[in-house]
Amino acid sequence: MRIGVIGTGRIGTIHANTLSRSREVGSLILTDADPARAQALAYRLGETAAPGVEEIFRWGVDAVVITTATAAHAELIGRAARSGLPVFCEKPIALDLPGTLQALAEVEAAGTVLQMGFQRRFDPGYAGAREAVRSGRLGRLHTVRATTSDQSPPPPDWLPLSGGLFRDTLIHDFDALRWVTGREVTDVYAAGSDAGPPMFRQAGDVSTGGALLTLDDGTLATATATRLNGAGYDVRMELAGERDTVVVGLDDRTPFASTEPTGPPAASRPWTGFLERFGPAYEAELCAFVEVLRGERPNPCDGQEALQALRIAEACEVSRRERRPVRLLEIQDRVQPSYG
């Protein structure tokens, strides 16, 4: 099969490498807003570079992988759907509900496949936590604590395009919370701080945020994130039940130190970023996409899953701005999607 990769930045490069190594993928066509970047990657991989998106669709491909800037996701998903092409797209579908619903309507109308890139579903730690919950090992789950902490802030010019901390970063925790527990969020109370560098205030964003979430079975969950965790890249999820407690992301590279005299030593080589921490998961999700294309497995993360995670992020943004609890029922579909 031939697959088109639209976007050859950090994630696009990883995905192109994975697909180029796959025995099931015959060839790739790569394109990017920076044609020279796509050409350089194509040369390294022995693949073909296209001048632009038009050529991806005109030259003919069997599927499309979208790793562009978020603002382009929805339009590209719709175009691929109208062309009858399966799509793998990095999260999110769009930065708002109307754009997300429009793209999902096009996918549904075309009857095509849309697999979303929530890579934590392919991480062994999160998979183990899901099994611990579903098997009953933990007993009744009463508390979940999730955290995502970036070591260094992103570039200032990227912040206004990111959608904000809840939509860009914590959306991964929201998806993982639903996937691991099998429960839905009913209400949230969120807050944020822009006490970091001025670029966050200038972008209307926060450098640190947190939310208290109630699940539909009464379980309480917290989710926190920051862009300024100097110790390293820290992603964890703790799940506590009446029988046992498990932790995702606790290993010899977790970037924290114990103050207890007999506690474990600080990590000598802490995680520095998401590409390093989740490298195998990124590869696994693309391998899963190839299996979906071959009809060997069902879609492991469709667009509706991404929509639910975005609704939680939207509720958190409303809560943060208005300083009040928000029920998920308040986050309604704001437009009727249309397509033609």
Side-chain angles (χ1 to χ4, degrees):
M1 68 180 76
R2 173 188 278 186
I3 296 179
V5 179
I6 306 176
T8 57
R10 292 183 299 174
I11 297 296
T13 296
I14 287 175
H15 291 340
N17 273 280
T18 297
L19 293 169
S20 187
R21 292 194 303 267
S22 172
R23 295 181 179 180
E24 312 301 337
V25 178
S27 62
L28 303 179
I29 302 178
L30 313 177
T31 193
D32 192 87
D34 179 354
R37 183 165 66 178
Q39 183 67 57
L41 179 60
Y43 179 79
R44 289 200 304 271
L45 297 179
E47 304 288 356
T48 301
V53 172
E54 294 294 330
E55 286 76 12
I56 291 284
F57 291 97
R58 193 168 68 243
W59 292 356
V61 293
D62 299 299
V64 174
V65 171
I66 300 171
T67 60
T68 61
T70 298
H73 288 185
E75 191 279 329
L76 290 170
I77 289 170
R79 181 166 186 179
R82 294 190 297 273
S83 300
L85 294 174
V87 172
F88 175 93
C89 184
E90 280 299 328
K91 63 82 190 168
I93 294 173
L95 290 177
D96 58 18
L97 284 173
T100 299
L101 293 166
Q102 176 70 33
L104 290 178
E106 298 224 50
V107 170
E108 183 178 359
T112 51
V113 169
L114 171 60
Q115 180 181 328
M116 296 303 300
F118 282 103
Q119 87 284 354
R120 295 187 192 182
R121 294 179 176 225
F122 296 87
D123 177 73
Y126 283 94
R130 175 183 165 96
E131 173 59 25
V133 172
R134 305 300 179 89
S135 68
R137 168 186 163 187
L138 305 185
R140 184 187 70 83
L141 193 64
H142 55 76
T143 308
V144 181
R145 305 176 188 90
T147 187
T148 295
S149 301
D150 292 325
Q151 184 175 30
S152 303
D157 59 354
W158 180 83
L159 280 174
L161 308 175
S162 70
L165 188 68
F166 291 97
R167 297 188 192 94
D168 176 61
T169 299
L170 278 166
I171 196 169
H172 279 290
D173 297 276
F174 301 149
D175 178 70
L177 178 63
R178 294 182 63 248
W179 186 72
V180 169
T181 66
R183 313 305 305 192
E184 297 294 342
V185 174
T186 60
D187 54 81
V188 307
Y189 191 92
S193 170
D194 62 2
M199 66 181 184
F200 292 99
R201 293 185 290 279
Q202 293 164 1
D205 197 6
V206 294
S207 59
T208 302
L212 173 65
L213 310 100
T214 303
L215 307 190
D216 57 12
D217 64 347
T219 300
L220 294 182
T222 60
T224 62
T226 185
R227 304 283 198 185
L228 302 161
N229 196 57
Y233 180 72
D234 188 8
V235 173
R236 280 175 287 121
M237 175 180 277
E238 303 170 19
L239 299 105
E242 293 182 345
R243 294 180 183 172
D244 200 0
T245 298
V246 294
V247 182
V248 180
L250 180 60
D251 59 22
D252 61 0
R253 299 193 66 183
T254 305
F256 59 57
S258 173
T259 60
E260 299 295 336
T262 59
S268 60
R269 195 165 59 93
W271 298 109
T272 59
F274 63 93
L275 295 179
E276 182 185 35
R277 165 66 177 84
F278 289 110
Y282 280 115
E283 182 171 349
E285 68 179 356
L286 261 291
C287 292
F289 181 56
V290 172
E291 292 173 354
V292 170
L293 296 179
R294 290 171 53 82
E296 297 172 350
R297 67 176 295 171
N299 188 344
C301 187
D302 64 19
Q304 291 299 320
E305 298 292 299
L307 174 62
Q308 296 309 316
L310 179 61
R311 282 197 172 109
I312 299 169
E314 288 283 328
C316 288
E317 276 294 343
V318 173
S319 177
R320 179 184 73 86
R321 290 195 308 268
E322 301 182 6
R323 297 177 178 271
R324 66 177 179 88
V326 174
R327 294 188 62 80
L328 264 291
L329 291 175
E330 294 183 44
I331 309 301
Q332 300 296 326
D333 298 349
R334 300 176 189 176
V335 297
Q336 289 295 322
S338 61
Y339 49 85

